[in-house]
Amino acid sequence: MISGRCAACKYLRRRCPSDCIFFPYFPPNNPERFASVHRIYGASNVAKMLQQLPHHLRGEAADTLCYEAECRTQDCVYGCVKTISQLHQEINKAECQLAKTRAEIAFISSSGGQGRTTTTSTSTSLPITSSTQL
Amino acid sequence: MISGRCAACKYLRRRCPSDCIFFPYFPPNNPERFASVHRIYGASNVAKMLQQLPHHLRGEAADTLCYEAECRTQDCVYGCVKTISQLHQEINKAECQLAKTRAEIAFISSSGGQGRTTTTSTSTSLPITSSTQL
């Protein structure tokens, strides 16, 4: 059975007003979602951040705050900055791979198509681990 | 002249104790650094997050908290999740570019080095804007 109060008001053990700022974004059946942002930002800071936005942007703001809070809970030192760092590394790798492949094209072109192609015979998919995906 | 109090204690208008949790990471000559994390997380949450970490990891945690707070201040809806999203797009673009380039190698190889190379004649550097860099 789902209570009429949102997850935030249940967590904070208070009445959920009809104009509750949390209600649309923190449904009662997902208590961990609110617990996570509360742990990192505190309820009043989350309310303040949502209140300063127009209604149509609040859902996405709540989602990104939850994402960042979950990352920070999982990694207290780096949070989601770890993901950013990993993605920069992936891009650097891809950039190197592309440069090598282009060098190989130049080599093949100059040798009349007789160049070896072993350098670029590895998998075409970039090694992005599932942990770096949003 | 630099005061003996750290930026946090100056901001909070309180005495800076000798064992101040903020002192090593929020120097008095950079008040905006503390103002930023205070605006997003609140002083007590930042103190709590630093306190639960061993000393040698607190500096990096303070840096990543500041980075995330600055991103959130600049973009109240997406924060640094916007950067993550942009980087995923860059990786997808690089993956496509690499696949095209490899297809071109195959074409050049099969045509005896007479294939056109216009597809890969664009710049080798990926279009990562400065705003997506850490």
Side-chain angles (χ1 to χ4, degrees):
Chain A
M1 178 187 161
I2 294 176
S3 149
R5 290 187 298 166
C6 72
C9 292
K10 280 177 81 173
Y11 187 96
L12 300 169
R13 296 183 183 185
R14 65 179 197 184
R15 194 179 61 81
C16 190
S18 60
D19 61 346
C20 177
I21 184 75
F22 298 115
F23 187 85
Y25 320 110
F26 297 97
N29 57 350
N30 190 355
E32 185 47 40
R33 184 174 153 89
F34 180 75
S36 182
V37 293
H38 182 260
R39 195 183 302 124
I40 302 301
Y41 301 100
S44 62
N45 285 320
V46 175
K48 208 162 49 183
M49 287 191 267
L50 293 177
Q51 266 155 352
Q52 73 188 14
L53 291 171
H55 281 76
H56 70 282
L57 293 174
R58 291 179 184 176
E60 288 195 272
D63 286 346
T64 59
L65 286 169
C66 288
Y67 175 77
E68 287 184 42
E70 278 160 24
C71 288
R72 180 65 56 180
T73 302
Q74 283 165 28
D75 186 328
C76 307
V77 180
Y78 299 103
C80 72
V81 177
K82 187 175 187 174
T83 301
I84 293 175
S85 176
Q86 286 170 334
L87 290 174
H88 274 296
Q89 286 171 20
E90 296 298 336
I91 288 178
N92 286 340
K93 272 189 209 166
E95 205 173 19
C96 289
Q97 224 169 347
L98 196 57
K100 278 184 194 169
T101 307
R102 283 174 173 162
E104 190 167 5
I105 285 189
F107 176 69
I108 293 170
S109 297
S110 66
S111 65
Q114 303 306 308
R116 292 171 61 216
T117 57
T118 49
T119 313
T120 55
S121 63
T122 54
S123 164
T124 54
S125 64
L126 295 172
I128 307 166
T129 62
S130 58
S131 66
T132 63
Q133 300 281 359
L134 279 180
Chain B
M1 178 188 159
I2 294 176
S3 148
R5 291 187 297 165
C6 72
C9 292
K10 279 177 82 174
Y11 187 97
L12 301 169
R13 297 183 182 186
R14 65 179 196 184
R15 193 179 62 82
C16 190
S18 59
D19 61 346
C20 177
I21 184 74
F22 299 115
F23 186 85
Y25 320 110
F26 296 96
N29 57 351
N30 190 354
E32 185 45 42
R33 185 174 154 88
F34 180 75
S36 183
V37 293
H38 181 260
R39 194 183 302 123
I40 302 301
Y41 301 98
S44 62
N45 285 320
V46 175
K48 208 162 50 183
M49 288 191 266
L50 293 177
Q51 267 156 351
Q52 72 188 12
L53 291 170
H55 281 76
H56 71 282
L57 293 175
R58 290 179 184 177
E60 287 195 272
D63 286 346
T64 58
L65 286 168
C66 288
Y67 175 77
E68 288 184 41
E70 278 160 23
C71 288
R72 180 65 56 178
T73 301
Q74 283 165 26
D75 186 329
C76 306
V77 180
Y78 298 103
C80 72
V81 177
K82 187 174 186 174
T83 302
I84 294 175
S85 176
Q86 286 171 333
L87 291 174
H88 275 296
Q89 285 172 20
E90 296 299 336
I91 288 178
N92 287 341
K93 272 189 207 165
E95 206 173 17
C96 288
Q97 222 168 349
L98 196 56
K100 278 184 193 168
T101 309
R102 284 175 173 162
E104 189 166 8
I105 286 188
F107 176 69
I108 293 169
S109 296
S110 66
S111 65
Q114 302 305 309
R116 291 171 63 218
T117 58
T118 49
T119 312
T120 56
S121 63
T122 54
S123 165
T124 55
S125 64
L126 296 171
I128 307 166
T129 62
S130 58
S131 66
T132 63
Q133 299 282 0
L134 280 180

